[in-house]
Amino acid sequence: MVERANRPSALASTPALAPQPQVTFSDDNSRVTAVLPTGESVEVLLYGATVISWKSGDGAEKLWLSEAARLDGTKAVRGGIPLVFPVFGTVPNHAQTAKLPQHGFARTSRWEFLGKSSSESAPGSAAADLSVKLDFGLSSANLDPSARELWPFEFGLIYSVLLNRDSLTTSLVVTNDDDKPFDCQVLLHTYLRVKDITAVEITGLADASYVDKVDGAKTKTQSSPLTITGETDRVYSPAGDAAVIVTESGAEIFSVTRDNLGNVVVWNPWADKAAGMADFAPNDGFKNMVCVEPGSVSGWQTLEPGDAFEGAQTITLYS
């Protein structure tokens, strides 16, 4: 063997890349799943761009999803985070939305996956700093013809789902691409999972006025922490943007903050109403959920041609 005078030294080892968030599609391309290296995950159904699962790093589910929920695109999903647009209820005296079904068409439309983005992790950096964002789009161009006939405006929606280690942020941007103004309402219909609804207390709504839809749509004022003891369906209009805190058995479990969404809907069907909904299962599932839903639904957002509206929520977990 011939000795070389200047043999090259061993190549320096390349630092291993730190684990990165993973984004995958189901075999039938009906849903997208994102997982952080620390185990947190979110799953989004393209039908309605509905978040159907959000798990912490230990695998604990944080959203409630009905066992009878339709996930095949035949009906709006019962549970998770359905999107409400362009109308909250049925409004027969509002010309633009009079023909639309309750909660509009966003939750029953097939959305397009626009892409992912994630924070980059350098070798040796903390995986806890990672996040991943999924973007979805719906526009008048790909809206079902039947829905387009009911609401014939040119529009665009961008929905973003941002997963961090201890929080989930969902945001919706609405643009008016038409040559005339239109009115709309927006709501993030979030079903939070709890262990025992009778042990739940909701704070952050003190002194807020609300419409009590269970009591003849009377306007009332919240004078104390909210507990759920029966069917509850309230549209709150808090004066500020304080976080809404969900406490169970004395321990804070969720903090819900709002960005440019002036209302908070709190809903639980309780026993009789739950039993009467075919897609609500099990019948006693009302014991394990409470809806805390940031939105803009007490009036109308009027968008002039070229205008945009953006609203968001961030749900933070307490350790």
Side-chain angles (χ1 to χ4, degrees):
M1 177 175 170
V2 178
E3 291 291 334
R4 296 174 57 185
N6 297 298
R7 297 178 63 187
S9 59
L11 292 175
S13 60
T14 303
L17 288 176
Q20 303 295 327
Q22 300 297 314
V23 175
T24 58
F25 290 85
S26 62
D27 291 341
D28 60 357
N29 288 320
S30 67
R31 62 188 72 182
V32 185
T33 301
V35 183
L36 297 182
T38 43
E40 296 79 8
S41 67
V42 66
E43 187 172 359
V44 185
L45 197 67
L46 290 182
Y47 180 74
T50 309
V51 178
I52 57 174
S53 175
W54 170 36
K55 294 179 180 179
S56 55
D58 60 1
E61 181 61 65
K62 300 303 176 181
L63 300 177
W64 184 86
L65 182 69
S66 169
E67 294 177 3
R70 301 278 185 86
L71 304 180
D72 59 358
T74 60
K75 187 177 181 180
V77 176
R78 174 70 67 187
I81 310 179
L83 286 173
V84 172
F85 175 89
V87 65
F88 175 46
T90 53
V91 193
N93 60 349
H94 185 263
Q96 291 186 1
T97 58
K99 297 179 181 179
L100 289 172
Q102 176 164 304
H103 295 345
F105 53 73
R107 65 181 187 148
T108 55
S109 296
R110 170 84 179 195
W111 289 60
E112 179 184 1
F113 178 62
L114 301 179
K116 65 172 183 176
S117 56
S118 60
S119 57
E120 294 297 325
S121 179
S125 63
D129 296 334
L130 292 178
S131 64
V132 61
K133 182 165 73 76
L134 309 175
D135 293 322
F136 305 86
L138 179 69
S139 71
S140 43
N142 59 1
L143 190 64
D144 183 88
S146 60
R148 186 166 172 77
E149 184 176 347
L150 298 177
W151 204 69
F153 294 97
E154 301 292 327
F155 71 93
L157 302 179
I158 301 293
Y159 183 54
S160 298
V161 177
L162 173 63
L163 175 67
N164 283 288
R165 189 171 185 188
D166 63 351
S167 66
L168 185 73
T169 298
T170 60
S171 60
L172 184 67
V173 178
V174 183
T175 56
N176 182 351
D177 300 328
D178 214 310
D179 58 5
K180 53 186 176 295
F182 63 68
D183 296 338
C184 65
Q185 296 175 328
V186 169
L187 184 80
L188 303 169
H189 198 319
T190 309
Y191 290 71
L192 298 175
R193 177 176 286 276
V194 298
K195 295 177 181 177
D196 178 7
I197 190 62
T198 65
V200 167
E201 185 176 88
I202 299 172
T203 58
L205 297 171
D207 302 322
S209 65
Y210 66 92
V211 175
D212 191 342
K213 297 172 71 175
V214 176
D215 189 13
K218 294 178 182 177
T219 299
K220 304 178 181 180
T221 300
Q222 187 68 37
S223 58
S224 61
L226 172 62
T227 56
I228 311 296
T229 58
E231 182 183 351
T232 303
D233 193 354
R234 302 179 178 184
V235 182
Y236 285 87
S237 298
D241 57 1
V244 176
I245 308 297
V246 180
T247 299
E248 185 170 9
S249 300
E252 296 176 334
I253 54 174
F254 298 108
S255 169
V256 182
T257 57
R258 297 167 289 126
D259 184 2
N260 202 32
L261 296 173
N263 300 118
V264 177
V265 175
V266 178
W267 182 75
N268 183 291
W270 213 250
D272 290 346
K273 191 161 188 176
M277 292 187 288
D279 62 350
F280 194 101
N283 284 348
D284 64 353
F286 70 91
K287 297 177 180 178
N288 305 121
M289 53 74 63
V290 63
C291 285
V292 178
E293 315 166 29
S296 178
V297 298
S298 61
W300 297 95
Q301 292 290 337
T302 300
L303 298 187
E304 298 294 332
D307 280 356
F309 169 82
E310 181 173 4
Q313 70 168 349
T314 296
I315 312 167
T316 302
L317 302 176
Y318 288 91
S319 56

